[in-house]
Amino acid sequence: MYETHEQRLILPAVILGCIGCLQPGFDPVFLTLLTAAHGIDPAYHGWVVTATQAGMAAGSLATWRWGSRFPRGVFAMAAAIAALAALLTAQTGHLASLLGLRAAYGVAMGVIYTQAMSTASAGRPHGAYGAVFLSQLVLATGIALALPAIAEALDPQSALATLVLAPLGAFAIVALSPRALSHEGQQGPRPLSAAAKADPLNAWLTAGSSLLFICATMMVWTFSGALAVRAGISESVIGQAVALGSLAGAGTALLVMRERPIVPPALTGLLSGATLLAPIAATQLGGAPAFIAAIVALNIGSTAIIVRTSGLASAASRDAWFRRFVACTHALGMILGPLVGSLASGLFGDSGLLAAALCAIAAASLMLFVAQSARPAVRTWHPREESLDEYLTRVQH
């Protein structure tokens, strides 16, 4: 809870943050269209996602270190580079060139996302991140539904080309709204009171559990489209599943953020871990309804456990340095998950992917159980809850 809870959100910065982290929300549909447009082997889907996420991590790190010195033109240039990379992605079937384009896109979006979130979260950090990720899930739902329809009406390349609208929107916001990337408030809000003394091992175990759950999520999420195609499930069904899953994830995020834990975190980890494996089981059994239900379950479980473990780890920390590390586990997990999934799938096929995901989930659950056995060391925040109407009145344009 922060002294600055009365400060308002900066809507342009929230929209920029949403655009910056938009791509992972519809990656399964994007990857299947990439294969349809260019004949990219589904076995390389993990490498495509890894290139994008590695680029985003590099852009984020560069902005974290030097963002306060960047002139405004750097962010406009980043948006322009992302737009060019998006257009060329629709025209390029050469794997090496495609990986380079996705890495460039990731770097550009990493720069925009990090600076936008620095501005948006200066006064209302929880509200800013909540607004960005909820907006991302809703927008990703629309895109996941629209892309297959465009591909069917025109062709997969045209559908991919429409994704240039996101970086073009970012370019417009950067050009028209100086407040969206303001350097003011870079230090963020000051806590009302110092964090209670916590067990460092407890904090590190919880953060490690968050990292591994994200890795497991990304392993399955990245390859869910390829698994569905092999099972004879159409691109349209995949799009519907991703869209419904995004909506389920958005609802879960609201519930987890606003309610106190009812289920013990360790049990939440086990239940969520089971949902992460649902798409693999569904594609083995076959059938569109089973796949849709599995993707919805994955989104619910992953959202619940990632929010829960990230919150517990942050509450167990003693300083801002460790809380920044907790945030870094998200980017690291999004890189390591597809990379490990690609290696496991490439070496041992679908059984290798399942084994890797199982190992990550088991290790994450064990770490969370050990951390929770020292529960008195973990301090849980109980901030004042506000109604949706109160929350929305604080958002300014």
Side-chain angles (χ1 to χ4, degrees):
M1 191 170 180
Y2 295 89
E3 285 183 336
T4 52
H5 70 276
E6 295 297 332
Q7 294 186 14
R8 297 177 178 178
L9 293 174
I10 301 174
L11 186 58
V14 169
I15 297 174
L16 272 182
C18 171
I19 293 173
C21 65
L22 183 60
Q23 182 71 38
F26 57 87
D27 260 342
V29 176
F30 167 78
L31 293 170
T32 54
L33 288 176
L34 201 61
T35 293
H38 303 309
I40 300 297
D41 189 331
Y44 293 116
H45 283 181
W47 295 108
V48 174
V49 175
T50 299
T52 307
Q53 296 302 328
M56 188 167 183
S60 296
L61 287 172
T63 307
W64 170 63
R65 179 63 180 83
W66 298 294
S68 61
R69 304 176 187 176
F70 285 172
R72 189 170 185 81
V74 168
F75 303 107
M77 183 182 299
I81 291 172
L84 180 61
L87 281 177
L88 292 177
T89 295
Q91 305 299 323
T92 304
H94 186 262
L95 181 61
S97 299
L98 183 63
L99 293 178
L101 287 171
R102 300 318 296 170
Y105 183 90
V107 170
M109 285 304 183
V111 170
I112 292 171
Y113 174 76
T114 304
Q115 188 64 27
M117 289 309 304
S118 177
T119 301
S121 63
R124 294 288 304 274
H126 299 295
Y129 278 101
V132 165
F133 286 110
L134 286 173
S135 300
Q136 186 256 15
L137 286 166
V138 172
L139 186 55
T141 299
I143 294 175
L145 290 172
L147 286 179
I150 295 173
E152 185 176 349
L154 300 174
D155 56 69
Q157 285 182 305
S158 298
L160 290 173
T162 61
L163 295 177
V164 73
L165 294 175
L168 287 179
F171 184 88
I173 293 173
V174 171
L176 299 176
S177 179
R179 298 191 64 215
L181 295 170
S182 171
H183 292 303
E184 296 179 3
Q186 288 292 311
Q187 299 302 316
R190 179 167 58 89
L192 286 174
S193 60
K197 185 176 181 180
D199 180 3
L201 179 61
N202 181 302
W204 283 104
L205 284 173
T206 308
S209 175
S210 178
L211 172 62
L212 289 175
F213 275 121
I214 296 169
C215 283
T217 298
M218 290 304 298
M219 284 181 207
V220 180
W221 180 251
T222 301
F223 286 92
S224 61
L227 292 172
V229 169
R230 291 176 191 169
I233 297 172
S234 69
E235 294 173 4
S236 177
V237 171
I238 296 172
Q240 293 171 13
V242 172
L244 291 173
S246 296
L247 290 176
T252 303
L254 280 173
L255 292 174
V256 175
M257 285 190 296
R258 289 179 175 271
E259 296 182 3
R260 297 180 182 181
I262 298 176
V263 180
L267 180 57
T268 301
L270 291 175
L271 295 174
S272 297
T275 67
L276 299 185
L277 300 174
I280 298 178
T283 52
Q284 295 297 321
L285 296 174
F291 179 76
I292 293 174
I295 291 295
V296 170
L298 181 146
N299 276 268
I300 292 174
S302 64
T303 300
I305 194 58
I306 291 169
V307 170
R308 183 65 64 220
T309 53
S310 298
L312 288 170
S314 297
S317 65
R318 286 185 279 186
D319 53 30
W321 175 83
F322 185 80
R323 291 192 296 273
R324 288 195 300 272
F325 170 77
V326 175
C328 286
T329 63
H330 293 234
L332 291 173
M334 294 183 75
I335 295 172
L336 293 175
L339 178 59
V340 173
S342 294
L343 291 173
S345 179
L347 291 173
F348 305 107
D350 292 349
S351 61
L353 178 65
L354 176 61
L358 274 171
C359 288
I361 292 168
S365 299
L366 178 61
M367 294 171 72
L368 185 58
F369 175 79
V370 173
Q372 288 301 295
S373 68
R375 184 174 172 79
V378 180
R379 178 175 50 84
T380 303
W381 290 103
H382 297 297
R384 181 183 71 85
E385 294 186 0
E386 59 185 359
S387 68
L388 182 60
D389 289 340
E390 290 176 325
Y391 174 78
L392 291 175
T393 58
R394 300 186 186 281
V395 180
Q396 69 176 21
H397 295 270

